[in-house]
Amino acid sequence: MTGGAAPAGSAADDAYYDDAKGKTGQELKDALHTIVSRDVKTLSYDEVWEALKKTDEDPENSANVKLLYSGRSQSKDDNGGGDGQWNREHTWAKSHGDFGTAPGPGTDVHHLRPTDVKVNSIRGSKDFDKGGEEVEGAPGNFTDGDSYEPRDEVKGDVARMILYMAVRYDGEESFPDLEPNDKVDNGSAPHMGRLSVLKEWNEKDPPDAFEKNRNEVIFDSYQHNRNPFIDHPEWVAEIWK
């Protein structure tokens, strides 16, 4: 994150979360839903391409983005659907709730990340869990028939993106009511698992500088809302006990 004064309403002074202070459980979840749904700018799916070039910019090479699962640094302009290119991964699989790429959950940059086209296809719409065979082209990632395990460096990132989606989309505005559960193979139901594993990943892989900067860029320049679990990862255990 670049230097200078913190943006108004950012986590730096915590004023953004005033209405959530002192709450736990469902009350905290409800308060965060109201906060992160307030005055949000909704992007089109085409606008997501340009947003990702900023949110996921490689801090060591401003011409590149960092790919979520593989960790590879790749030219921002090498995006598309071809072999070896990068595309837009819905971390909360869009089939889980059948929201597609429509504005709202289908275009929310807080859970959309650049990924290698082939690796994205291998992940598909699987839930998150431990184990399986190592993924070709993404060392440290594993998959089996119904789940996907990302590399250690982004396990917490994945958990916090999934749980953000559950707070942001709760059935209002014609959006599906997204909720994590402790299952895999959820199909088209508006659920993503495995919650117990996601909670573990949140604890073991706390937010790093890249993830925190991403949150700021989305807040400052694109949607004008935040992922509360990047600012307060301890709230995961307060909501999902």
Side-chain angles (χ1 to χ4, degrees):
M1 185 169 61
T2 57
S10 79
D13 60 14
D14 235 18
Y16 184 77
Y17 296 112
D18 272 349
D19 293 342
K21 291 174 182 176
K23 295 181 170 67
T24 61
Q26 188 64 44
E27 283 192 348
L28 175 58
K29 185 171 182 281
D30 290 345
L32 292 177
H33 167 73
T34 299
I35 291 166
V36 303
S37 303
R38 186 183 296 140
D39 300 324
V40 176
K41 179 184 177 184
T42 302
L43 304 183
S44 71
Y45 199 43
D46 282 342
E47 288 174 323
V48 168
W49 284 120
E50 293 306 312
L52 292 180
K53 292 176 183 181
K54 287 293 186 183
T55 60
D56 291 74
E57 181 177 292
D58 184 347
E60 298 181 0
N61 184 345
S62 61
N64 287 8
V65 291
K66 290 279 285 186
L67 307 191
L68 175 66
Y69 297 132
S70 67
R72 188 171 76 236
S73 180
Q74 187 155 340
S75 170
K76 291 178 177 179
D77 297 328
D78 192 17
N79 60 300
D83 189 40
Q85 292 187 302
W86 66 268
N87 62 1
R88 298 158 293 185
E89 154 77 328
H90 289 78
T91 310
W92 184 296
K94 58 184 181 289
S95 62
H96 290 231
D98 195 28
F99 52 77
T101 59
T107 66
D108 195 315
V109 187
H110 277 297
H111 87 116
L112 284 157
R113 299 292 293 267
T115 54
D116 176 84
V117 167
K118 183 176 180 180
V119 175
N120 191 346
S121 178
I122 291 170
R123 188 264 158 146
S125 59
K126 296 172 183 173
D127 293 87
F128 292 101
D129 200 0
K130 301 176 184 178
E133 299 292 326
E134 192 165 43
V135 175
E136 182 182 354
N141 293 247
F142 300 89
T143 192
D144 56 24
D146 55 20
S147 70
Y148 192 93
E149 178 182 351
R151 60 193 173 101
D152 290 347
E153 295 83 353
V154 297
K155 280 182 164 68
D157 307 50
V158 166
R160 288 180 283 274
M161 287 187 282
I162 294 300
L163 299 176
Y164 158 84
M165 292 292 282
V167 165
R168 171 69 180 94
Y169 301 101
D170 70 349
E172 296 179 352
E173 305 173 71
S174 75
F175 297 140
D177 184 4
L178 305 181
E179 288 293 338
N181 64 11
D182 212 35
K183 301 177 182 178
V184 294
D185 202 17
N186 275 297
S188 62
H191 304 303
M192 284 290 296
R194 183 179 301 267
L195 177 57
S196 58
V197 172
L198 296 172
K199 289 172 64 178
E200 178 184 324
W201 290 350
N202 173 62
E203 293 178 4
K204 290 187 174 180
D205 175 37
D208 60 14
F210 185 90
E211 191 180 1
K212 291 176 181 179
N213 181 68
R214 191 174 196 278
N215 203 22
E216 295 293 351
V217 172
I218 294 171
F219 178 76
D220 288 345
S221 302
Y222 294 101
Q223 295 181 183
H224 311 305
N225 71 343
R226 306 182 67 83
N227 182 334
F229 305 116
I230 296 173
D231 297 324
H232 289 277
E234 72 277 8
W235 281 346
V236 170
E238 291 289 341
I239 294 173
W240 291 282
K241 297 183 184 295

